[in-house]
Amino acid sequence: ELHLVESGGGLVQPGGSLRLSCVASGFTFSSYWMTWVRQAPGKGLEWVANIKQDGSEKYYVDSVNGRFTISRDNAKNSLYLQMNSLRTEDTAEFYCARGRRGIVVLRGAPDHYYYYMDVWGKGTTVTVSS
Amino acid sequence: AIQLTQSPSSLSASVGDRVTITCRASQGISSALAWYQQKPGKVPKALIFDGSSLESGVPSRFSGSGSGTDFTLTISSLQPEDFATYYCQQFNSFQGLTFGGGTKVEIK
């Protein structure tokens, strides 16, 4: 069975740091893109960051770029999110998710890529407050 | 970043109704759009990817259509377990990933 289990959330003061972890099981972790998504209390989903299978490509939402760092350790089937300079607006449930990236070929030529998340962890809560 | 605008933000419907939710992108994204369902207190679940491809295990009453900037999620006959919030999502390598604001489907 496919599993993603997040940990590392907690209460932190503004300006502080946290490191989230996500451990994968039930699939070949090193074969998949991975993603962090967050959801503030009572709000919608917000993408945070993506990382390619080998860690060579990383993408961030503008609001966390330069403060958060996504990384992975394929030997440990683990995904991480180092969060620095935390703000009150970073308060949210943080989900780890498996990414599925595919390419659509039309008339023998690449037409476009798609990306979506097909396996989600249950989340870890980050609260930034003084 | 590419913006995704969902409409309506909420709707009330009855069991058996046909429900349609729309998602408009601020620029063309081909068919690279996914749809998710999220029930209260639960994690999101993928329903549709690449505009119209049904995720494994998802009931066939769910369907997606559209390309370019305008997309639709349709539930052909609403079931009690379908009352939830639905989100669209796109990813562009140069502009990142975005979700729509969500559509809450409530019981009439």
Side-chain angles (χ1 to χ4, degrees):
Chain A
E1 195 172 348
L2 308 176
H3 279 300
L4 294 169
V5 180
E6 303 93 335
S7 61
L11 174 63
V12 61
Q13 291 188 338
S17 297
L18 276 178
R19 188 193 195 209
L20 306 185
S21 299
C22 170
V23 178
S25 60
F27 64 97
T28 304
F29 178 75
S30 60
S31 297
Y32 292 89
W33 284 75
M34 295 298 294
T35 298
W36 287 100
V37 174
R38 66 184 177 183
Q39 187 167 34
K43 301 298 184 182
L45 301 171
E46 181 184 35
W47 167 70
V48 175
N50 282 359
I51 186 168
K52 194 178 178 180
Q53 290 93 328
D54 61 1
S56 63
E57 293 181 37
K58 303 177 184 181
Y59 302 93
Y60 300 91
V61 67
D62 287 347
S63 60
V64 309
N65 204 6
R67 299 189 298 125
F68 291 9
T69 302
I70 189 172
S71 63
R72 64 191 298 161
D73 184 336
N74 289 339
K76 295 183 178 180
N77 291 336
S78 294
L79 176 72
Y80 306 102
L81 187 68
Q82 177 66 44
M83 305 187 295
N84 298 330
S85 303
L86 282 161
R87 305 167 180 168
T88 54
E89 56 263 36
D90 294 318
T91 294
E93 191 75 11
F94 281 73
Y95 297 103
C96 161
R98 186 176 80 170
R100 299 297 300 273
R101 191 181 193 205
I103 183 168
V104 175
V105 176
L106 295 180
R107 294 180 288 278
D111 182 77
H112 67 271
Y113 287 96
Y114 62 82
Y115 187 102
Y116 73 106
M117 290 73 74
D118 68 339
V119 181
W120 295 66
K122 294 189 183 302
T124 187
T125 303
V126 172
T127 303
V128 185
S129 174
S130 54
Chain B
I2 297 173
Q3 307 297 322
L4 296 178
T5 303
Q6 284 184 238
S7 60
S9 56
S10 66
L11 64 90
S12 296
S14 300
V15 172
D17 283 353
R18 182 181 182 88
V19 169
T20 298
I21 299 168
T22 64
C23 179
R24 175 163 288 176
S26 59
Q27 64 188 73
I29 56 172
S30 189
S31 60
L33 190 93
W35 290 95
Y36 300 85
Q37 175 194 68
Q38 187 179 31
K39 297 179 181 179
K42 302 295 186 182
V43 301
K45 173 186 175 183
L47 301 174
I48 301 286
F49 65 95
D50 198 35
S52 60
S53 296
L54 196 67
E55 178 70 350
S56 177
V58 173
S60 59
R61 64 181 179 273
F62 291 93
S63 64
S65 64
S67 67
T69 60
D70 294 313
F71 299 84
T72 300
L73 173 70
T74 299
I75 309 172
S76 60
S77 177
L78 197 66
Q79 298 301 300
E81 61 267 30
D82 299 338
F83 292 95
T85 299
Y86 294 84
Y87 296 93
C88 57
Q89 169 255 310
Q90 68 81 35
F91 176 68
N92 177 286
S93 294
F94 302 102
Q95 300 191 48
L97 190 153
T98 47
F99 287 96
T103 296
K104 186 173 185 179
V105 176
E106 299 176 302
I107 301 172
K108 183 183 285 185

